[in-house]
Amino acid sequence: TGRMSIWVLAFSTLCRSALADGGGPDGGGIKDSVFRIREVAVVSQRIFVKEEAGMKQSSVDTVVLRDKANLSLSQLLSENTLVFIKEHGRGALATASFRGTAASHTQVNWNGININDPMAGMVDFSLIPVYVVDDLNLKHGAASLADRSGGLGGSINIGNRVDWQNRFGLKYMQGIGSYSTFDEFLSVGFGGPRFQSSTRLYHNYSANDFRFINRGIANVDPETGGITHPVDTNDNAGYTRYGILQEFYFRPNMKNRLSLKWWGQAADRSIPRATSYEGPDNSNLNRQQDVDHKVVADWKHYAASGRLMVRSGYSDKKLNYSLRNQVPGVGLVPAIYSESRQHSFLNTLSYSHDFSSLFSAEGRVHADYHDVVSRDTVTGSGYDRSRAEVSGFVALRRNFAERVNVNFMLRQDWIDGKRTPLVPYLGFDFRVLKGEDLILKGNIARNYKVPSLNSLYWQPGGNPDLQPEEGLSYELGVEYQAVLGGGGGSLGHLLKTELTAYRSDITNWIIWIPSFKGYWEPQNIKRVLARGLEFTAMLHGSLGPVSYKTAGTYAYTRSTNYGDPLVWSDESYGKQLPYIPVHSGNVMVNLSWRGFFLTWQHNSYSERYTTSSNDPTRRDWLYPYFMNDLVAGKDFRWNKVSFTAEFKVYNLFDETYHSVLYRPMPGRNYLLMLMIKL
């Protein structure tokens, strides 16, 4: 099955030691003693599963989720996964690029419901705190079809889980950091084997007023001709965010489980001006306010050979954006005041059946409805549109001779009653060596994505003539996992590594570009070819009293514009798409000993071009950068109360870097986090 626990290794080692000692005073057996075994979290998982044949999936370790509870999901993904995050500044808009694709090509699900913005078709990951995440799973490329269509790059799945053993638990965390940053988190949970309740509250605030060398502005000495760059402050960049996550779980018997989850959040942030701005301080002031409510309820029924699931969710979002200028004698006058309101109703019915241990089938239906109203009260422009989406899904999975898994999935969507092309997926796993977790895997699939409502109807700039994006992808990889035996004071090690090559040929790619009319508008690129390599490695274990966890990723990404050269010109044809790095990677090392822990995090990106011509002689490109973070802390315990103190250093070597052109990022900064847990 590919499943083994380090507990087995630890227990057998202790038994061998006891027998070697003669067992007791008379040497007649094992000593009449109780051995307290140190808890070890190194447990391998099954990687040869027919329901996941051909899929590349990855998850974020619980140690990382704990260390980064005060961060946004954008920072977590950027530092610990193969996803590239395009961040417009600390606390500002952050979007994901998965396998060289656009932000709208990543599908994001929270507890089974899709939370992509129906307006822009993407998710702002800066608004999702890691604190509300228990499980984070990524499906790369065509594997996302198991969730829904449209994930040309992949899907990100955020989940919450229940602990049926919990009687009562309380946890409070307080963080104080640079730039007047304050983080507060409180969670309370109680229940029993049939009912569980969990409540999480959080509040984040930062003035975000860091200083930086402004390389977007140059001062020229009239006598010497020397160029200097001023030191500026990141003004008008403060943000605050507060929210609640309430979960209820009910288990009337072992065959039925019900849950209800509500996530409410309000965020208010000023958006800093571009570093190239040289106007007065009281003009061009940007502000954005987001109020979100998400509710999901589901019922799961477990039979002897089948599983039925019914899920229903609702998402509501208010988004207000304003741009104001100071007018003498009048005050702040809005040049833009945009108000948007979104309602989404999301429903799922699924049933899976195991005909035998070798063959299973699944059927699922999604029925979603979105309603969007967007208005600019200054210009009077906007739109009021709705969209109904129905998706049917079937899957057949088969195992052959315990060496081959085959996974066939088929998805059919209807958008506003119009049928879209069929989206098939065929994946396989092949166990190279019998009894070993050395797996050759691959898939071939089609994908299809309709334009977002903003792309079609935004005023001004929407293009109702846009064509849907279509993709054909291929993938081949090898995955290996092994539990290495202990010895010499070691309790064992878990090694897991994976190498994947992929290719996606996407037609009618949608991109927003400046138009001759004076504003941006979306257009279709005839063809974009995205291909690359992904490598991940993980090693967990223990060396004597020291436990360690290491993980690393590397991505080689080529995403090339092969549109019509008569439209895009020879300078853009065959060039890398803007803001997508060719090389990226990260490394995490965590050590723990007697309650002390130390975590080092490194991530790096090669240069990124901000224009389609990829001209390095222009100013509009972003230098490579290497980022390092360090976390050190200590766990204390007194009876049933535990305390944790940790000190975090971000941008350890004070690196100067940018994720988006003319958007500053902070230098070295600090955070002290204290936690009490009952």
Side-chain angles (χ1 to χ4, degrees), residues 486-513:
S490 170
L491 290 179
H493 314 270
L494 170 64
L495 172 66
K496 185 175 181 180
T497 183
E498 187 170 5
L499 177 65
T500 305
Y502 65 89
R503 175 189 172 99
S504 296
D505 203 337
I506 303 171
T507 57
N508 295 323
W509 179 290
I510 296 174
I511 187 172
W512 286 74
I513 58 175

PDB file of all heavy atoms in Angstrom, residues 486-513:
ATOM      1  N   GLY A 486      15.913   3.576  11.020  1.00  0.00           N
ATOM      2  CA  GLY A 486      16.709   4.267  12.019  1.00  0.00           C
ATOM      3  C   GLY A 486      17.947   3.480  12.389  1.00  0.00           C
ATOM      4  O   GLY A 486      18.289   2.463  11.800  1.00  0.00           O
ATOM      5  N   GLY A 487      18.634   3.959  13.394  1.00  0.00           N
ATOM      6  CA  GLY A 487      19.866   3.340  13.847  1.00  0.00           C
ATOM      7  C   GLY A 487      20.812   4.394  14.350  1.00  0.00           C
ATOM      8  O   GLY A 487      20.826   5.520  13.847  1.00  0.00           O
ATOM      9  N   GLY A 488      21.603   4.057  15.331  1.00  0.00           N
ATOM     10  CA  GLY A 488      22.566   5.019  15.853  1.00  0.00           C
ATOM     11  C   GLY A 488      21.911   6.224  16.475  1.00  0.00           C
ATOM     12  O   GLY A 488      22.396   7.338  16.343  1.00  0.00           O
ATOM     13  N   GLY A 489      20.780   6.010  17.144  1.00  0.00           N
ATOM     14  CA  GLY A 489      20.091   7.130  17.791  1.00  0.00           C
ATOM     15  C   GLY A 489      19.072   7.796  16.908  1.00  0.00           C
ATOM     16  O   GLY A 489      18.370   8.695  17.343  1.00  0.00           O
ATOM     17  N   SER A 490      18.956   7.370  15.659  1.00  0.00           N
ATOM     18  CA  SER A 490      17.985   7.968  14.752  1.00  0.00           C
ATOM     19  C   SER A 490      16.709   7.142  14.736  1.00  0.00           C
ATOM     20  O   SER A 490      16.755   5.914  14.721  1.00  0.00           O
ATOM     21  CB  SER A 490      18.569   8.053  13.336  1.00  0.00           C
ATOM     22  OG  SER A 490      17.581   8.420  12.412  1.00  0.00           O
ATOM     23  N   LEU A 491      15.562   7.813  14.744  1.00  0.00           N
ATOM     24  CA  LEU A 491      14.280   7.117  14.700  1.00  0.00           C
ATOM     25  C   LEU A 491      13.795   6.886  13.279  1.00  0.00           C
ATOM     26  O   LEU A 491      12.773   6.262  13.081  1.00  0.00           O
ATOM     27  CB  LEU A 491      13.229   7.909  15.481  1.00  0.00           C
ATOM     28  CG  LEU A 491      13.399   7.939  16.997  1.00  0.00           C
ATOM     29  CD1 LEU A 491      12.310   8.758  17.629  1.00  0.00           C
ATOM     30  CD2 LEU A 491      13.411   6.536  17.568  1.00  0.00           C
ATOM     31  N   GLY A 492      14.477   7.415  12.281  1.00  0.00           N
ATOM     32  CA  GLY A 492      14.073   7.181  10.912  1.00  0.00           C
ATOM     33  C   GLY A 492      13.886   8.462  10.143  1.00  0.00           C
ATOM     34  O   GLY A 492      13.837   9.550  10.706  1.00  0.00           O
ATOM     35  N   HIS A 493      13.773   8.297   8.814  1.00  0.00           N
ATOM     36  CA  HIS A 493      13.709   9.448   7.928  1.00  0.00           C
ATOM     37  C   HIS A 493      12.715   9.149   6.811  1.00  0.00           C
ATOM     38  O   HIS A 493      12.651   8.023   6.305  1.00  0.00           O
ATOM     39  CB  HIS A 493      15.081   9.740   7.320  1.00  0.00           C
ATOM     40  CG  HIS A 493      16.197   9.705   8.319  1.00  0.00           C
ATOM     41  ND1 HIS A 493      16.602  10.817   9.019  1.00  0.00           N
ATOM     42  CD2 HIS A 493      16.977   8.670   8.752  1.00  0.00           C
ATOM     43  CE1 HIS A 493      17.598  10.484   9.828  1.00  0.00           C
ATOM     44  NE2 HIS A 493      17.837   9.191   9.694  1.00  0.00           N
ATOM     45  N   LEU A 494      11.974  10.154   6.427  1.00  0.00           N
ATOM     46  CA  LEU A 494      11.059  10.045   5.300  1.00  0.00           C
ATOM     47  C   LEU A 494      11.599  10.881   4.153  1.00  0.00           C
ATOM     48  O   LEU A 494      11.807  12.086   4.303  1.00  0.00           O
ATOM     49  CB  LEU A 494       9.651  10.530   5.688  1.00  0.00           C
ATOM     50  CG  LEU A 494       8.658  10.677   4.524  1.00  0.00           C
ATOM     51  CD1 LEU A 494       8.377   9.326   3.885  1.00  0.00           C
ATOM     52  CD2 LEU A 494       7.360  11.317   5.002  1.00  0.00           C
ATOM     53  N   LEU A 495      11.834  10.244   3.028  1.00  0.00           N
ATOM     54  CA  LEU A 495      12.315  10.921   1.829  1.00  0.00           C
ATOM     55  C   LEU A 495      11.222  10.883   0.777  1.00  0.00           C
ATOM     56  O   LEU A 495      10.651   9.825   0.501  1.00  0.00           O
ATOM     57  CB  LEU A 495      13.575  10.239   1.291  1.00  0.00           C
ATOM     58  CG  LEU A 495      14.081  10.725  -0.077  1.00  0.00           C
ATOM     59  CD1 LEU A 495      14.558  12.172   0.019  1.00  0.00           C
ATOM     60  CD2 LEU A 495      15.191   9.812  -0.598  1.00  0.00           C
ATOM     61  N   LYS A 496      10.940  12.037   0.198  1.00  0.00           N
ATOM     62  CA  LYS A 496       9.949  12.115  -0.870  1.00  0.00           C
ATOM     63  C   LYS A 496      10.427  13.123  -1.891  1.00  0.00           C
ATOM     64  O   LYS A 496      10.801  14.249  -1.533  1.00  0.00           O
ATOM     65  CB  LYS A 496       8.580  12.528  -0.316  1.00  0.00           C
ATOM     66  CG  LYS A 496       7.469  12.509  -1.359  1.00  0.00           C
ATOM     67  CD  LYS A 496       6.107  12.812  -0.736  1.00  0.00           C
ATOM     68  CE  LYS A 496       5.008  12.771  -1.783  1.00  0.00           C
ATOM     69  NZ  LYS A 496       3.677  13.064  -1.199  1.00  0.00           N
ATOM     70  N   THR A 497      10.425  12.738  -3.167  1.00  0.00           N
ATOM     71  CA  THR A 497      10.890  13.637  -4.219  1.00  0.00           C
ATOM     72  C   THR A 497      10.090  13.391  -5.487  1.00  0.00           C
ATOM     73  O   THR A 497       9.563  12.287  -5.708  1.00  0.00           O
ATOM     74  CB  THR A 497      12.397  13.428  -4.474  1.00  0.00           C
ATOM     75  OG1 THR A 497      12.851  14.361  -5.446  1.00  0.00           O
ATOM     76  CG2 THR A 497      12.683  12.010  -4.959  1.00  0.00           C
ATOM     77  N   GLU A 498      10.001  14.415  -6.316  1.00  0.00           N
ATOM     78  CA  GLU A 498       9.210  14.316  -7.544  1.00  0.00           C
ATOM     79  C   GLU A 498       9.769  15.258  -8.602  1.00  0.00           C
ATOM     80  O   GLU A 498      10.145  16.398  -8.305  1.00  0.00           O
ATOM     81  CB  GLU A 498       7.746  14.649  -7.270  1.00  0.00           C
ATOM     82  CG  GLU A 498       6.814  14.410  -8.446  1.00  0.00           C
ATOM     83  CD  GLU A 498       5.345  14.507  -8.081  1.00  0.00           C
ATOM     84  OE1 GLU A 498       5.052  14.847  -6.921  1.00  0.00           O
ATOM     85  OE2 GLU A 498       4.503  14.249  -8.957  1.00  0.00           O
ATOM     86  N   LEU A 499       9.840  14.766  -9.838  1.00  0.00           N
ATOM     87  CA  LEU A 499      10.282  15.554 -10.989  1.00  0.00           C
ATOM     88  C   LEU A 499       9.221  15.444 -12.072  1.00  0.00           C
ATOM     89  O   LEU A 499       8.814  14.328 -12.437  1.00  0.00           O
ATOM     90  CB  LEU A 499      11.627  15.044 -11.507  1.00  0.00           C
ATOM     91  CG  LEU A 499      12.173  15.729 -12.763  1.00  0.00           C
ATOM     92  CD1 LEU A 499      12.494  17.193 -12.482  1.00  0.00           C
ATOM     93  CD2 LEU A 499      13.410  15.001 -13.285  1.00  0.00           C
ATOM     94  N   THR A 500       8.771  16.586 -12.591  1.00  0.00           N
ATOM     95  CA  THR A 500       7.679  16.618 -13.569  1.00  0.00           C
ATOM     96  C   THR A 500       8.030  17.541 -14.725  1.00  0.00           C
ATOM     97  O   THR A 500       8.533  18.648 -14.509  1.00  0.00           O
ATOM     98  CB  THR A 500       6.371  17.110 -12.916  1.00  0.00           C
ATOM     99  OG1 THR A 500       6.076  16.311 -11.782  1.00  0.00           O
ATOM    100  CG2 THR A 500       5.216  17.047 -13.899  1.00  0.00           C
ATOM    101  N   ALA A 501       7.754  17.073 -15.940  1.00  0.00           N
ATOM    102  CA  ALA A 501       7.860  17.905 -17.134  1.00  0.00           C
ATOM    103  C   ALA A 501       6.459  18.097 -17.708  1.00  0.00           C
ATOM    104  O   ALA A 501       5.661  17.150 -17.752  1.00  0.00           O
ATOM    105  CB  ALA A 501       8.765  17.251 -18.174  1.00  0.00           C
ATOM    106  N   TYR A 502       6.146  19.318 -18.132  1.00  0.00           N
ATOM    107  CA  TYR A 502       4.800  19.598 -18.637  1.00  0.00           C
ATOM    108  C   TYR A 502       4.858  20.497 -19.863  1.00  0.00           C
ATOM    109  O   TYR A 502       5.843  21.201 -20.102  1.00  0.00           O
ATOM    110  CB  TYR A 502       3.946  20.261 -17.550  1.00  0.00           C
ATOM    111  CG  TYR A 502       4.440  21.629 -17.137  1.00  0.00           C
ATOM    112  CD1 TYR A 502       4.008  22.775 -17.803  1.00  0.00           C
ATOM    113  CD2 TYR A 502       5.348  21.778 -16.098  1.00  0.00           C
ATOM    114  CE1 TYR A 502       4.467  24.033 -17.438  1.00  0.00           C
ATOM    115  CE2 TYR A 502       5.803  23.031 -15.723  1.00  0.00           C
ATOM    116  CZ  TYR A 502       5.364  24.149 -16.405  1.00  0.00           C
ATOM    117  OH  TYR A 502       5.826  25.394 -16.059  1.00  0.00           O
ATOM    118  N   ARG A 503       3.766  20.471 -20.609  1.00  0.00           N
ATOM    119  CA  ARG A 503       3.627  21.326 -21.792  1.00  0.00           C
ATOM    120  C   ARG A 503       2.143  21.634 -21.966  1.00  0.00           C
ATOM    121  O   ARG A 503       1.306  20.726 -21.968  1.00  0.00           O
ATOM    122  CB  ARG A 503       4.169  20.621 -23.036  1.00  0.00           C
ATOM    123  CG  ARG A 503       3.951  21.386 -24.345  1.00  0.00           C
ATOM    124  CD  ARG A 503       4.330  20.514 -25.522  1.00  0.00           C
ATOM    125  NE  ARG A 503       3.976  21.119 -26.800  1.00  0.00           N
ATOM    126  CZ  ARG A 503       4.809  21.778 -27.584  1.00  0.00           C
ATOM    127  NH1 ARG A 503       6.075  21.923 -27.205  1.00  0.00           N
ATOM    128  NH2 ARG A 503       4.417  22.287 -28.730  1.00  0.00           N
ATOM    129  N   SER A 504       1.811  22.919 -22.077  1.00  0.00           N
ATOM    130  CA  SER A 504       0.428  23.358 -22.281  1.00  0.00           C
ATOM    131  C   SER A 504       0.378  24.283 -23.487  1.00  0.00           C
ATOM    132  O   SER A 504       1.080  25.297 -23.526  1.00  0.00           O
ATOM    133  CB  SER A 504      -0.108  24.098 -21.042  1.00  0.00           C
ATOM    134  OG  SER A 504      -0.170  23.244 -19.929  1.00  0.00           O
ATOM    135  N   ASP A 505      -0.439  23.921 -24.448  1.00  0.00           N
ATOM    136  CA  ASP A 505      -0.620  24.720 -25.661  1.00  0.00           C
ATOM    137  C   ASP A 505      -1.988  25.393 -25.566  1.00  0.00           C
ATOM    138  O   ASP A 505      -3.023  24.730 -25.655  1.00  0.00           O
ATOM    139  CB  ASP A 505      -0.548  23.817 -26.888  1.00  0.00           C
ATOM    140  CG  ASP A 505      -0.182  24.582 -28.144  1.00  0.00           C
ATOM    141  OD1 ASP A 505      -0.408  25.805 -28.163  1.00  0.00           O
ATOM    142  OD2 ASP A 505       0.324  23.978 -29.096  1.00  0.00           O
ATOM    143  N   ILE A 506      -1.998  26.712 -25.342  1.00  0.00           N
ATOM    144  CA  ILE A 506      -3.234  27.440 -25.043  1.00  0.00           C
ATOM    145  C   ILE A 506      -3.544  28.412 -26.177  1.00  0.00           C
ATOM    146  O   ILE A 506      -2.698  29.217 -26.575  1.00  0.00           O
ATOM    147  CB  ILE A 506      -3.112  28.198 -23.711  1.00  0.00           C
ATOM    148  CG1 ILE A 506      -2.769  27.222 -22.579  1.00  0.00           C
ATOM    149  CG2 ILE A 506      -4.405  28.949 -23.390  1.00  0.00           C
ATOM    150  CD1 ILE A 506      -2.407  27.892 -21.279  1.00  0.00           C
ATOM    151  N   THR A 507      -4.743  28.343 -26.692  1.00  0.00           N
ATOM    152  CA  THR A 507      -5.193  29.248 -27.745  1.00  0.00           C
ATOM    153  C   THR A 507      -6.160  30.272 -27.170  1.00  0.00           C
ATOM    154  O   THR A 507      -6.846  30.026 -26.174  1.00  0.00           O
ATOM    155  CB  THR A 507      -5.873  28.483 -28.890  1.00  0.00           C
ATOM    156  OG1 THR A 507      -6.980  27.725 -28.363  1.00  0.00           O
ATOM    157  CG2 THR A 507      -4.899  27.517 -29.540  1.00  0.00           C
ATOM    158  N   ASN A 508      -6.205  31.443 -27.811  1.00  0.00           N
ATOM    159  CA  ASN A 508      -7.088  32.550 -27.412  1.00  0.00           C
ATOM    160  C   ASN A 508      -6.807  33.043 -25.989  1.00  0.00           C
ATOM    161  O   ASN A 508      -7.721  33.452 -25.266  1.00  0.00           O
ATOM    162  CB  ASN A 508      -8.566  32.150 -27.532  1.00  0.00           C
ATOM    163  CG  ASN A 508      -8.974  31.886 -28.961  1.00  0.00           C
ATOM    164  OD1 ASN A 508      -8.516  32.555 -29.882  1.00  0.00           O
ATOM    165  ND2 ASN A 508      -9.810  30.888 -29.168  1.00  0.00           N
ATOM    166  N   TRP A 509      -5.540  33.015 -25.609  1.00  0.00           N
ATOM    167  CA  TRP A 509      -5.117  33.524 -24.295  1.00  0.00           C
ATOM    168  C   TRP A 509      -5.578  34.971 -24.148  1.00  0.00           C
ATOM    169  O   TRP A 509      -5.416  35.789 -25.047  1.00  0.00           O
ATOM    170  CB  TRP A 509      -3.606  33.420 -24.225  1.00  0.00           C
ATOM    171  CG  TRP A 509      -2.946  33.905 -22.970  1.00  0.00           C
ATOM    172  CD1 TRP A 509      -2.833  35.191 -22.547  1.00  0.00           C
ATOM    173  CD2 TRP A 509      -2.252  33.105 -22.011  1.00  0.00           C
ATOM    174  NE1 TRP A 509      -2.111  35.250 -21.377  1.00  0.00           N
ATOM    175  CE2 TRP A 509      -1.745  33.981 -21.023  1.00  0.00           C
ATOM    176  CE3 TRP A 509      -1.997  31.747 -21.877  1.00  0.00           C
ATOM    177  CZ2 TRP A 509      -1.005  33.535 -19.940  1.00  0.00           C
ATOM    178  CZ3 TRP A 509      -1.266  31.301 -20.799  1.00  0.00           C
ATOM    179  CH2 TRP A 509      -0.778  32.191 -19.836  1.00  0.00           C
ATOM    180  N   ILE A 510      -6.146  35.309 -22.986  1.00  0.00           N
ATOM    181  CA  ILE A 510      -6.669  36.660 -22.753  1.00  0.00           C
ATOM    182  C   ILE A 510      -5.648  37.479 -21.985  1.00  0.00           C
ATOM    183  O   ILE A 510      -5.144  37.041 -20.949  1.00  0.00           O
ATOM    184  CB  ILE A 510      -8.004  36.606 -21.990  1.00  0.00           C
ATOM    185  CG1 ILE A 510      -9.069  35.904 -22.838  1.00  0.00           C
ATOM    186  CG2 ILE A 510      -8.472  38.010 -21.612  1.00  0.00           C
ATOM    187  CD1 ILE A 510     -10.382  35.685 -22.114  1.00  0.00           C
ATOM    188  N   ILE A 511      -5.336  38.669 -22.489  1.00  0.00           N
ATOM    189  CA  ILE A 511      -4.389  39.563 -21.839  1.00  0.00           C
ATOM    190  C   ILE A 511      -4.896  40.992 -21.955  1.00  0.00           C
ATOM    191  O   ILE A 511      -5.464  41.385 -22.985  1.00  0.00           O
ATOM    192  CB  ILE A 511      -2.980  39.425 -22.481  1.00  0.00           C
ATOM    193  CG1 ILE A 511      -1.946  40.236 -21.693  1.00  0.00           C
ATOM    194  CG2 ILE A 511      -2.991  39.811 -23.946  1.00  0.00           C
ATOM    195  CD1 ILE A 511      -0.516  39.998 -22.134  1.00  0.00           C
ATOM    196  N   TRP A 512      -4.731  41.782 -20.888  1.00  0.00           N
ATOM    197  CA  TRP A 512      -5.123  43.190 -20.891  1.00  0.00           C
ATOM    198  C   TRP A 512      -3.935  44.024 -21.354  1.00  0.00           C
ATOM    199  O   TRP A 512      -2.831  43.904 -20.809  1.00  0.00           O
ATOM    200  CB  TRP A 512      -5.553  43.632 -19.500  1.00  0.00           C
ATOM    201  CG  TRP A 512      -6.908  43.124 -19.086  1.00  0.00           C
ATOM    202  CD1 TRP A 512      -7.221  41.849 -18.724  1.00  0.00           C
ATOM    203  CD2 TRP A 512      -8.119  43.871 -18.998  1.00  0.00           C
ATOM    204  NE1 TRP A 512      -8.557  41.755 -18.406  1.00  0.00           N
ATOM    205  CE2 TRP A 512      -9.128  42.990 -18.563  1.00  0.00           C
ATOM    206  CE3 TRP A 512      -8.452  45.208 -19.239  1.00  0.00           C
ATOM    207  CZ2 TRP A 512     -10.449  43.388 -18.364  1.00  0.00           C
ATOM    208  CZ3 TRP A 512      -9.770  45.618 -19.031  1.00  0.00           C
ATOM    209  CH2 TRP A 512     -10.747  44.715 -18.611  1.00  0.00           C
ATOM    210  N   ILE A 513      -4.170  44.892 -22.358  1.00  0.00           N
ATOM    211  CA  ILE A 513      -3.103  45.724 -22.904  1.00  0.00           C
ATOM    212  C   ILE A 513      -3.623  47.150 -23.099  1.00  0.00           C
ATOM    213  O   ILE A 513      -4.829  47.378 -23.243  1.00  0.00           O
ATOM    214  CB  ILE A 513      -2.591  45.169 -24.256  1.00  0.00           C
ATOM    215  CG1 ILE A 513      -3.746  45.091 -25.261  1.00  0.00           C
ATOM    216  CG2 ILE A 513      -1.929  43.812 -24.073  1.00  0.00           C
ATOM    217  CD1 ILE A 513      -3.305  44.673 -26.660  1.00  0.00           C
TER     218      ILE A 513
END
